[in-house]
Amino acid sequence: MTLGPLDEELAKARAAYRDRGRWGEDDVLGTLNFVDDAIRAHAAGLVRRGRSFSLAQEIHGSGPGATTRWHGLGRGHDTERAWHGSSRTATDDGDAVTGIEHLRDAFTGRGVLLDVGRAIGDARGELPDGFPILEEHLRDTVEAQGATSSVRRGDIVLVRTGQLGRVRRLGAWAGYAAGDAPGLSFTTLGWLHRTEIAAVATDTYGLEVRPHEFAGPVQSPLHRIAVPHMGLPLGEMWDLEALAEDCAADGVHEFLLVAAPLPVTGAVGAPVNPIAVK
């Protein structure tokens, strides 16, 4: 699928999916404002068996060369504008306004796994590299998984493509960071905005599909709208394999998720060891 000219599509998306200013000019949380105490209390009540899953990749020499992470609101700048609408705030000294330290206690709530790889992928539950996950694929996954995967306001949504499991099985890490990958289509921005989720993360290096869906070269077009205009934190390189196996076995795709980033002052992103508890 090839979208229209890049500048035209970006301009339409900026106008359609703008949350900038929604929570005040000094806001540092973005869509994490959707998570309130009632949502966190409900999420705690989802724990039935006490089974916990770390969703972080191990850091070792034969892996991807990076780590499971959140991108905060200082990343993904579009046309040199940051989340507050001011000039870009990330400098050599870090992000002076929306550093990741402001999000240290915000990533606790209801997690929902959308196992797109298992719902529409191959026999191994994997999507091929370059596969764009469309809104219809997300809806089909929810329908296939049942009521516990219905997406609600304030959810932290985890999208499994199966790519991590494949590269780990084959030992083929060379293209994981820079090569083709399945991922969210630019066209899912409407779904991400309309559902009012708090954050989204995937098991790939860059979250969105590569190659991108534009005719010419472009760097991370979904990031350029989701972060500085929607205020949506993005998670990358999450290890969803064990959690996905458990969810497939018991049919429950919702859980308590605690995914606090390291509070590095001024950082535009940070490593995280997310814990899902069922």
Side-chain angles (χ1 to χ4, degrees):
M1 178 177 64
T2 301
L3 296 174
L6 173 62
D7 290 343
E8 177 182 320
E9 295 291 344
L10 288 175
K12 289 191 297 186
R14 288 187 205 107
Y17 312 129
R18 179 186 177 91
D19 279 333
R20 187 185 291 164
R22 181 173 183 172
W23 297 285
E25 296 303 317
D26 297 327
D27 177 63
V28 295
L29 296 180
T31 53
L32 287 165
N33 281 287
F34 291 134
V35 186
D36 57 22
D37 290 348
I39 287 175
R40 284 187 286 270
H42 171 76
L46 296 176
V47 178
R48 295 290 187 268
R49 294 155 48 210
R51 179 75 187 278
S52 66
F53 301 84
S54 169
L55 310 181
Q57 293 192 42
E58 292 186 27
I59 304 172
H60 52 78
S62 60
T67 186
T68 302
R69 63 196 178 198
W70 281 120
H71 282 322
L73 301 186
R75 292 294 297 268
H77 296 299
D78 179 43
T79 61
E80 297 303 310
R81 295 288 171 179
W83 168 235
H84 290 124
S86 59
S87 297
R88 184 170 179 165
T89 58
T91 68
D92 290 341
D93 295 325
D95 183 351
V97 179
T98 53
I100 200 76
E101 72 274 11
H102 296 293
L103 309 182
R104 70 178 75 194
D105 56 3
F107 286 103
T108 299
R110 178 179 183 253
V112 178
L113 176 70
L114 298 187
D115 193 346
V116 183
R118 191 172 258 100
I120 66 170
D122 62 18
R124 291 184 180 271
E126 299 167 2
L127 300 176
D129 290 340
F131 184 92
I133 297 173
L134 308 177
E135 179 176 338
E136 66 189 73
H137 299 136
L138 298 173
R139 293 198 306 265
D140 289 348
T141 299
V142 171
E143 183 176 354
Q145 293 181 170
T148 62
S149 62
S150 61
V151 175
R152 306 168 188 169
R153 186 178 191 259
D155 284 346
I156 301 173
V157 176
L158 312 182
V159 179
R160 179 185 172 273
T161 71
Q163 189 200 35
L164 175 61
R166 180 172 63 251
V167 298
R168 180 184 289 147
R169 183 179 72 253
L170 300 176
W173 292 100
Y176 182 67
D180 294 351
L184 293 178
S185 166
F186 184 83
T187 62
T188 60
L189 282 166
W191 184 90
L192 296 170
H193 186 257
R194 187 173 63 254
T195 54
E196 296 187 331
I197 62 173
V200 63
T202 73
D203 56 353
T204 68
Y205 190 90
L207 185 129
E208 53 189 293
V209 64
R210 296 197 309 255
H212 302 298
E213 302 147 290
F214 295 91
V218 56
Q219 183 178 6
S220 304
L222 185 147
H223 284 63
R224 292 171 62 177
I225 300 299
V227 178
H229 296 278
M230 290 173 57
L232 181 70
L234 306 177
E236 297 167 345
M237 296 187 287
W238 288 44
D239 187 347
L240 305 176
E241 295 303 291
L243 175 64
E245 289 288 340
D246 190 83
C247 290
D250 73 359
V252 177
H253 293 80
E254 61 179 351
F255 38 85
L256 170 66
L257 181 64
V258 180
L262 291 177
V264 183
T265 301
V268 296
V272 58
N273 178 22
I275 302 294
V277 190
K278 296 183 67 179

